[in-house]
Amino acid sequence: MKKPLAILIFIACRFVSICQPNQSLDSLIDLSNEVSNEKKVHLYLRIAQLYSDSHSDSLSFEYLHKARLLGLDLGLTEEVCSTYYYLGSEWYRKTNYDTSLYYYDYAMEMAEEMKDDGMIALLQGSIGRCLLYQGKLKEAKFYFDAAMVYARSSGDSTQIMTILGYLGLYYGNKGEYEKCAEMTFEAIKIAEKRGMRRKQSILLTNLCVLHGRMKDYERALKYQRASLKIDQEINDKLGLAYGYNNMGNVYRRMGLADSAMYYYRLAMDYQMEMGNMADVAGLMSNIGSYYREANQLDEAHKCFAGALQIADSLSLFWDKALILTKIGNTYEDQGFLNKAERFYLQALKLSKDQSYSRHEWDIANHLATLNYKMGKYQEAYQYLEDFIALKDSMMNEKNQQSITELRTKYETEKIERENEILIQKAEIQTLELKHQHTRFWIFIGGICFILLLALLAFVLYRMRQRNIRTKLEKQSLENEQRMLRSQMNPHFIFNSMNSIQSYISGNDNKTAMSYLSKFARLMRGILEHSRQSMIPLGEEVETLNLYIELERLRFKNKFEYTQELDSQLDLEGLYVPPMLIQPFVENAIKHGLVNKGGDGFLKLSFKKEDKVIRCIVEDNGIGRDQAALLKTMQSKGHRSLGMQVTRERIEALNKEMNTHCDFTILDMKDDKGKACGTRVEILIPFEIE
């Protein structure tokens, strides 16, 4: 198929800048004075591209405008269209999106008049990119979809890769992480196949952002370091600036403040040098977060105010919503609750208008906490429900599992391609040897080479099969553990929320306030622990204490509670599976103590033994036999899954950690043989930090 002239000009300029790096700009300028006017337009575009590559922006703009004016005088429509495209791209690189869109629109009008499908697709993707960074997600998606139709119909793999990368960013901002990962990995495969290192770097940076949002910080740092390595090798200042900013974000979320500020300063130096004010706004916002976390709230306000002013002037809606939320956080920290609420509501309205789902659930969480502090308990409860619904829809197990599968598939295919390349290199070396040795040595060498290659292939095949099998078994166990934890969390949350509703409807404000405060802490703990396979023992004990306090409030202090902790236990250094003990505590309270009628007691003890922690849950309730009888009489249609799920979790843990953990239940009786309580001993596996 014949390529449009505009695209050929673009490729020619790039080809010259790569293949003739030593060609003097002065000689090109001198040459432009000797050639015909039509050739001058092409030379001006070439010179502008070379100045752009060397970050000489003013000279790049000068020659682009020379090419535009001369092209208009000569009636060179295709060349003028390309010039408008380059001008839009230069302004995009400077993060002036409004001016960039101005030139892209001019180029689009000319491309549509010429019916140049290739240029139309290129411009649609570029316009969508500007709209995306302005936070106009709906409009951006429209242009990306249109560009993809043109790109796929023409079979242009470079354009397909570019649009896939943009769609990955779009879905990431929407909070649809599975689609984000799918698009990004597909784009990376094309970039690697075509040897497009700059594109590889950008896409690796996108993966860093994705895993940072998922709180997978180690993998986020891995992808960003790979991106920075490429940027340093090709001396891409803009890529380095973005990469350092992302490194700062990840380290800040990990709580490593000094490392975060170090990378923020590196990024700011590059962005100020290039004059990219939109990126400067994002950096100021990040540095403001750093000051807020360091409790330097006045400095934080200064950074947020400057960032908000830039975001307003450049119509950066996404950044504006995020900055408004951060200002609300800071006012809440200072105790100015009414001001905090005003900024939260502005951010929430903007997020809803622009369909920023990921911002919405974050702001709903802040508003739930804020309304509780202000005594607006009904509003706090409503925002809490909104937060849970939004977060569950975005951070579900299926989403996480799909991303893991996509990542594994990409890495496996990458290894296969590398093996193919190694084999091809070995074959080339064999051909070269044929010209250097006698026929005899060629024959001997060929036999040896084939045998070695066969052995290497066999060893690699066996290693690969073993690694794949190990990964699949581990992934299966992890998925099973996640599934079981996800069954327990709704069961646990449901009981607590029923109690809150009963106090609110009964107008018992004092008890409702106490219950809601503890429930909020409990909810935060559950949401944090639900994404982790192991947590510190201290956090597990704290969660149990909160649960027991809530149950004592709910059942009007029908029982007393004591706790014994072995002095050898390191509460912060020992890690245990979350939510493993709670079902036994729940059974002791609901089936043993509540039906006793009074004078009940519950005792929890923890002791370290070799490779396990022995936990004992003891109560003086009515015993299992009588409890089973009452349960049969009171709830014929209900079937509890708590103990079944717990037993399945223990079986999965034994497989994963190669332990022999279990639990035993002892019915305690008095001297007359009458039931006087229940004692449960649980052997819990642990890991050392």
Side-chain angles (χ1 to χ4, degrees), residues 340-364:
E341 183 180 33
R342 187 169 70 250
F343 280 96
Y344 284 151
L345 291 175
Q346 288 181 46
L348 184 62
K349 182 179 184 304
L350 182 57
S351 297
K352 287 182 176 179
D353 291 343
Q354 299 296 328
S355 300
Y356 300 157
S357 302
R358 191 164 60 84
H359 272 342
E360 281 189 61
W361 68 257
D362 186 42
I363 299 166

Side-chain angles (χ1 to χ4, degrees), residues 11-120:
I11 294 171
C13 290
R14 278 297 182 186
F15 178 83
V16 172
S17 66
I18 294 170
C19 297
Q20 298 180 349
N22 297 321
Q23 187 172 14
S24 169
L25 276 168
D26 291 336
S27 65
L28 289 176
I29 294 171
D30 292 339
L31 181 62
S32 68
N33 295 323
E34 301 172 2
V35 298
S36 65
N37 285 339
E38 185 172 342
K39 291 182 179 179
K40 274 185 182 179
V41 175
H42 295 179
L43 277 174
Y44 287 158
L45 288 172
R46 183 188 303 174
I47 293 167
Q49 190 63 56
L50 289 171
Y51 276 129
S52 176
D53 290 343
S54 62
H55 301 286
S56 301
D57 296 339
S58 60
L59 291 171
S60 176
F61 280 121
E62 177 184 339
Y63 277 92
L64 284 173
H65 283 298
K66 282 185 177 181
R68 178 179 65 87
L69 294 174
L70 184 56
L72 288 171
D73 288 342
L74 298 174
L76 302 176
T77 306
E78 293 174 341
E79 286 80 352
V80 173
C81 178
S82 295
T83 305
Y84 280 128
Y85 167 76
Y86 292 140
L87 283 166
S89 299
E90 286 296 299
W91 282 110
Y92 166 81
R93 196 166 62 84
K94 294 176 71 64
T95 66
N96 189 328
Y97 302 127
D98 287 334
T99 306
S100 178
L101 287 170
Y102 170 81
Y103 284 110
Y104 284 151
D105 286 341
Y106 265 112
M108 181 64 81
E109 289 180 10
M110 301 182 76
E112 288 174 345
E113 289 178 2
M114 295 184 294
K115 297 181 180 180
D116 187 338
D117 290 347
M119 180 58 86
I120 290 172

Side-chain angles (χ1 to χ4, degrees), residues 605-628:
S605 60
F606 297 84
K607 185 177 181 181
K608 184 180 177 184
E609 296 181 0
D610 194 15
K611 297 182 179 181
V612 297
I613 296 173
R614 183 182 296 274
C615 173
I616 300 175
V617 181
E618 186 175 332
D619 68 80
N620 68 339
I622 63 176
R624 287 194 296 172
D625 293 339
Q626 191 173 350

